Amino acid sequence: MDRRSFMRGAGLAGAGVLAATPLAAPAIAQENPKIRWRMSSSFPKSLDTIFGGAEDLAVHVSSATDGNFLIEPYAEGEIVPGLKVLEAVTTGKVEIAHTCAYYFADKDPAYAMATAIPFGLNGRLMNAWFYQGNGNRLLNEFFATQGLYGLPAGNTGAQMGGWYAKEINTVEDLKGLRLRIAGIAGTILAKLGVKPQQLSGSEIVPAFAKNGIDAAEWVGPHDDLKLGLQKAAKFYYYPGWWEGGPAVHALISLDKWNSLPRRYQAILADACAATNLNMMARYDVKNPQALKRLVADGTELRPFSQDVLEACYAAALEAYADMSAASPAFKRLYEDQLSFKKDAYLWMQLSEYTFDTFMMIQQRAGKL
Amino acid sequence: MDRRSFMRGAGLAGAGVLAATPLAAPAIAQENPKIRWRMSSSFPKSLDTIFGGAEDLAVHVSSATDGNFLIEPYAEGEIVPGLKVLEAVTTGKVEIAHTCAYYFADKDPAYAMATAIPFGLNGRLMNAWFYQGNGNRLLNEFFATQGLYGLPAGNTGAQMGGWYAKEINTVEDLKGLRLRIAGIAGTILAKLGVKPQQLSGSEIVPAFAKNGIDAAEWVGPHDDLKLGLQKAAKFYYYPGWWEGGPAVHALISLDKWNSLPRRYQAILADACAATNLNMMARYDVKNPQALKRLVADGTELRPFSQDVLEACYAAALEAYADMSAASPAFKRLYEDQLSFKKDAYLWMQLSEYTFDTFMMIQQRAGKL
């Protein structure tokens, strides 16, 4: 379609409506209806990065509608617990959730494709797949079967690999390790002998204290520092290969989405895009400061060895074969993302990677 | 400020306005005023990636206002030539330009800080600096002195280093090289003996044909393929160290920006954010396809050597000292971005870099 023509058309249509309704009380109601939604976040207020995204989203929508479309953000536990937000949307308790879709992968592993799968895409490539690949379209075909409409509305970037009381030097060291980790990554690590533990954020430090776990992953420096994980374990590993660029989603009741005026749909979609950019930016500004503080206080950084990563990667591929057999929706999304991933990581090796590498060499040499 | 309170306040104020104006012809005019702007892009329609951004921006604003706020995009040459769009804004010929601010660095080098400086930030970190660092705030303090308001509205990602008839193996090979390159990168390369040539996109292939240039840089695989540069030179170098993540801006007349209703300002800002995300995504989806085609057709990829990059980096630092002495506005922006860059490239070495590296190893091994 010729977008210029479309816009001219839209302009003329708009003018026509105004001319036809000089007395306009109904037109006001139609043009700027007052709508109030409740949004349940899966996160606590203390996480200014990720709960901050829910607040951002609400402010953007309100600002773009002079307060006529109000979305009130509620932290985990205020209306429902953090992992019950999807149910809250589908049962009509709230209109929208701000959450990571992979929390609901037990309903269908296809949910995980909206957030991150181990050894998936980095944050930038997730956006490429969402917005200009087939990601958003295919995800919404799946979400529609769940009574949902989804919009990406945040990203944390590549997360850290977590906190370990002892060093992990070999694949053997994973055997019997009681690691706080959830979801698909837990399933994959269990293949290598890890004993995955499911704990909420606030339970992690106490679990270390009473020797209930040996290790725990959460997010990255800024959020981990807030939880005090540096006091519980000394070795801080990277990369968090299970979360190379996890996306946060606005998951909206499909009926509620369809009932919005088109203009409000457009406003909400752009507010989600702005929130997506802002959250990644917030992590990129805050994580370096937290990292410096952690290292100054005695945290020791360690990379996972190539052997450990290779073993985890092989176990991940096994898991994806299982999940593809179990869920046609997962299979369709996984294969599409994989096809994009192969091309994307070919291209990213050239300018993007070598530019960053050179800049990091200068940084290490103290020459920036 | 407590955002929740702010929103509740906004909601009540909105309700008050509606209740007070039941007959609402004036309220319509106030709430959904019809505004029509013209936007001059610096780019031709043939570049669907970057001119496509101007079209995106216009569609998003129109959709979010039911066509009441219409921004019509014009390609380079339709109203003014591509490099005259800033003048078109400041003289009132158009309300907004969609352009790279560094084209106007001859007015003040501070303009370059909005787009890219050689060995600056990658695309993701540009956004971090813009939205959550001091970037947008400091840039708009500078833009205000120029009668402008600026919003990031696109990014190409790290560009390629251009097309060369002969290989560049040593710093010596740069001497006397007639390279089509503009702006600050041209100034820096001139210190190493390069003879920078300023040519528009359509002039590049003819200049090669009549032996007027030895090399040319443009953007990256997708855009370069459209110009047919692969027919003019065989060696395709990376990285384009002068453009690690160049941003495209919406540069708006400050008076026109200030005259917009606050709601339209919010809508335009979010449309620019969505455009920013979309353009990067479009490049990330299209560049791999173009790269594969170029290589299949005989293009040979070459990385710049570490020696060449180091020499260019040293020359760049000299240039920034000169520019800081010449422009206080540049100095202020440069120092702020540099401070952010030092921290950011420390943090990015951990999870982000090692995750990508592992994925690229799998890609090269054919194991993705």
Side-chain angles (χ1 to χ4, degrees):
Chain A
M1 184 176 67
D2 178 336
R3 284 173 176 171
R4 187 78 64 80
S5 311
F6 161 72
M7 283 192 25
R8 289 203 179 104
L12 291 173
V17 168
L18 262 196
T21 54
L23 293 174
I28 283 188
Q30 187 179 21
E31 290 185 1
N32 294 323
K34 298 198 74 70
I35 293 177
R36 182 176 290 250
W37 278 9
R38 303 204 302 173
M39 173 166 59
S40 277
S41 163
S42 290
F43 307 98
K45 286 185 184 173
S46 58
L47 295 183
D48 58 329
T49 39
I50 194 163
F51 181 72
E55 294 179 309
D56 253 6
L57 200 169
V59 168
H60 281 249
V61 170
S62 174
S63 299
T65 61
D66 278 342
N68 284 303
F69 185 8
L70 277 186
I71 298 177
E72 289 211 66
Y74 291 89
E76 63 159 341
E78 287 194 321
I79 297 177
V80 289
L83 300 184
K84 296 286 183 190
V85 299
L86 189 70
E87 197 180 313
V89 171
T90 54
T91 59
K93 196 173 274 186
V94 302
E95 289 81 7
I96 178 171
H98 191 243
T99 186
C100 291
Y102 65 8
Y103 293 145
F104 314 104
D106 52 346
K107 293 183 197 297
D108 190 311
Y111 276 101
M113 294 300 304
T115 311
I117 57 169
F119 303 104
L121 299 171
N122 67 23
R124 173 163 149 185
L125 294 179
M126 279 300 277
N127 284 331
W129 183 62
F130 284 148
Y131 295 109
Q132 295 284 328
N134 299 318
N136 278 346
R137 183 176 60 77
L138 293 180
L139 281 167
N140 274 314
E141 288 177 18
F142 166 68
F143 285 144
T145 68
Q146 312 288 304
L148 299 169
Y149 186 78
L151 290 163
N155 201 296
T156 69
Q159 297 194 3
M160 289 291 282
W163 299 83
Y164 297 74
K166 292 183 182 166
E167 288 182 89
I168 304 296
N169 295 310
T170 66
V171 179
E172 199 63 27
D173 293 337
L174 294 173
K175 292 225 165 72
L177 187 79
R178 296 168 302 166
L179 168 64
R180 183 270 170 199
I181 191 167
I184 296 171
T187 306
I188 290 168
L189 280 163
K191 289 174 185 273
L192 299 170
V194 167
K195 296 182 176 167
Q197 312 290 311
Q198 304 238 12
L199 300 171
S200 74
S202 58
E203 292 170 324
I204 297 176
V205 172
F208 269 113
K210 60 185 180 201
N211 195 26
I213 56 173
D214 309 303
E217 71 88 35
W218 181 240
V219 180
H222 180 76
D223 294 343
D224 291 5
L225 183 66
K226 291 213 164 194
L227 282 192
L229 300 186
Q230 74 282 5
K231 294 172 196 154
K234 181 175 169 187
F235 299 105
Y236 197 21
Y237 272 82
Y238 61 91
W241 47 263
W242 45 91
E243 290 167 311
V248 181
H249 264 78
L251 292 181
I252 307 159
S253 151
L254 183 60
D255 288 344
K256 292 289 178 180
W257 170 258
N258 286 334
S259 74
L260 285 180
R262 278 183 173 275
R263 183 157 63 78
Y264 283 13
Q265 289 180 343
I267 284 170
L268 179 52
D270 279 3
C272 286
T275 299
N276 191 358
L277 266 176
N278 269 332
M279 191 189 296
M280 185 73 268
R282 192 173 288 133
Y283 274 108
D284 284 342
V285 165
K286 296 196 169 204
N287 273 330
Q289 304 309 322
L291 176 68
K292 288 197 290 186
R293 195 171 139 198
L294 289 168
V295 171
D297 288 352
T299 289
E300 295 203 16
L301 298 168
R302 293 285 185 277
F304 285 124
S305 71
Q306 189 69 13
D307 278 357
V308 167
L309 291 175
E310 294 279 1
C312 295
Y313 185 67
L317 295 187
E318 278 178 32
Y320 300 146
D322 295 345
M323 290 154 68
S324 293
S327 162
F330 175 85
K331 183 170 191 283
R332 187 164 178 240
L333 284 157
Y334 176 73
E335 288 179 355
D336 186 81
Q337 190 188 79
L338 182 61
S339 160
F340 170 72
K341 181 161 71 173
K342 288 178 180 177
D343 287 343
Y345 273 116
L346 168 68
W347 159 235
M348 296 288 279
Q349 289 173 47
L350 302 188
S351 279
E352 207 66 50
Y353 188 76
T354 56
F355 180 84
D356 283 344
T357 300
F358 183 81
M359 297 309 292
M360 289 171 190
I361 290 169
Q362 304 309 311
Q363 194 280 333
R364 288 196 182 189
K367 286 166 64 185
L368 277 189
Chain B
M1 185 177 67
D2 178 336
R3 285 175 178 169
R4 187 79 64 80
S5 311
F6 161 72
M7 284 190 27
R8 290 205 178 102
L12 292 172
V17 167
L18 263 197
T21 54
L23 293 175
I28 283 188
Q30 187 181 21
E31 290 184 0
N32 294 323
K34 299 199 73 71
I35 292 176
R36 183 177 288 251
W37 279 9
R38 303 204 300 174
M39 173 165 59
S40 276
S41 163
S42 290
F43 307 99
K45 286 185 184 172
S46 58
L47 295 183
D48 58 330
T49 41
I50 195 163
F51 181 73
E55 294 178 310
D56 252 6
L57 200 168
V59 169
H60 281 249
V61 170
S62 174
S63 299
T65 62
D66 277 342
N68 283 303
F69 184 8
L70 278 186
I71 297 177
E72 288 211 67
Y74 291 89
E76 63 159 340
E78 286 193 323
I79 298 178
V80 290
L83 300 183
K84 295 287 184 189
V85 299
L86 188 70
E87 198 180 313
V89 171
T90 54
T91 59
K93 196 172 272 185
V94 301
E95 290 80 7
I96 179 171
H98 191 243
T99 186
C100 291
Y102 65 8
Y103 292 146
F104 313 104
D106 53 344
K107 293 184 199 296
D108 190 312
Y111 276 101
M113 294 300 304
T115 311
I117 57 169
F119 302 105
L121 299 171
N122 68 23
R124 171 163 149 185
L125 295 179
M126 279 300 277
N127 284 331
W129 182 63
F130 284 149
Y131 294 110
Q132 295 284 329
N134 299 317
N136 278 346
R137 183 176 60 76
L138 294 180
L139 282 167
N140 273 314
E141 286 177 19
F142 166 68
F143 285 144
T145 68
Q146 312 288 304
L148 299 169
Y149 185 79
L151 290 163
N155 200 298
T156 68
Q159 296 194 4
M160 290 290 282
W163 300 84
Y164 297 74
K166 292 183 182 167
E167 287 183 90
I168 304 295
N169 295 310
T170 66
V171 179
E172 199 63 26
D173 292 338
L174 294 172
K175 292 226 166 70
L177 186 80
R178 296 167 304 166
L179 168 63
R180 184 271 171 198
I181 192 166
I184 296 172
T187 306
I188 291 168
L189 281 163
K191 290 174 184 274
L192 299 170
V194 167
K195 296 181 177 168
Q197 312 289 311
Q198 305 238 12
L199 300 171
S200 74
S202 58
E203 292 170 325
I204 298 175
V205 172
F208 269 112
K210 60 186 179 196
N211 194 27
I213 56 174
D214 309 303
E217 71 88 35
W218 182 239
V219 180
H222 180 76
D223 295 342
D224 291 5
L225 182 67
K226 290 213 162 192
L227 282 192
L229 300 186
Q230 74 282 6
K231 294 171 195 155
K234 181 175 170 187
F235 299 105
Y236 197 20
Y237 272 82
Y238 61 90
W241 47 263
W242 45 91
E243 290 168 310
V248 180
H249 264 77
L251 293 180
I252 306 160
S253 152
L254 183 59
D255 287 344
K256 292 288 179 181
W257 169 258
N258 286 334
S259 74
L260 285 179
R262 277 182 174 276
R263 183 157 65 78
Y264 282 14
Q265 288 180 343
I267 285 169
L268 179 51
D270 280 3
C272 285
T275 300
N276 191 358
L277 266 175
N278 269 333
M279 191 190 295
M280 186 72 268
R282 193 173 289 134
Y283 274 108
D284 283 343
V285 166
K286 296 196 169 204
N287 273 331
Q289 304 309 323
L291 177 67
K292 289 197 289 187
R293 193 170 141 200
L294 289 168
V295 171
D297 288 353
T299 288
E300 296 203 16
L301 298 168
R302 292 286 185 277
F304 286 124
S305 71
Q306 190 69 12
D307 279 356
V308 166
L309 291 176
E310 294 277 1
C312 294
Y313 185 66
L317 295 187
E318 278 178 30
Y320 299 146
D322 296 345
M323 289 154 68
S324 293
S327 163
F330 175 85
K331 184 170 190 283
R332 187 164 178 240
L333 285 156
Y334 176 72
E335 288 178 356
D336 185 80
Q337 191 189 78
L338 182 60
S339 160
F340 170 72
K341 181 162 69 173
K342 287 177 180 177
D343 287 343
Y345 274 116
L346 169 67
W347 159 236
M348 297 288 279
Q349 288 173 47
L350 302 189
S351 279
E352 207 66 49
Y353 188 76
T354 57
F355 179 85
D356 283 343
T357 300
F358 183 80
M359 298 309 293
M360 289 171 190
I361 290 170
Q362 304 310 311
Q363 193 281 332
R364 287 196 183 189
K367 287 165 62 185
L368 277 190

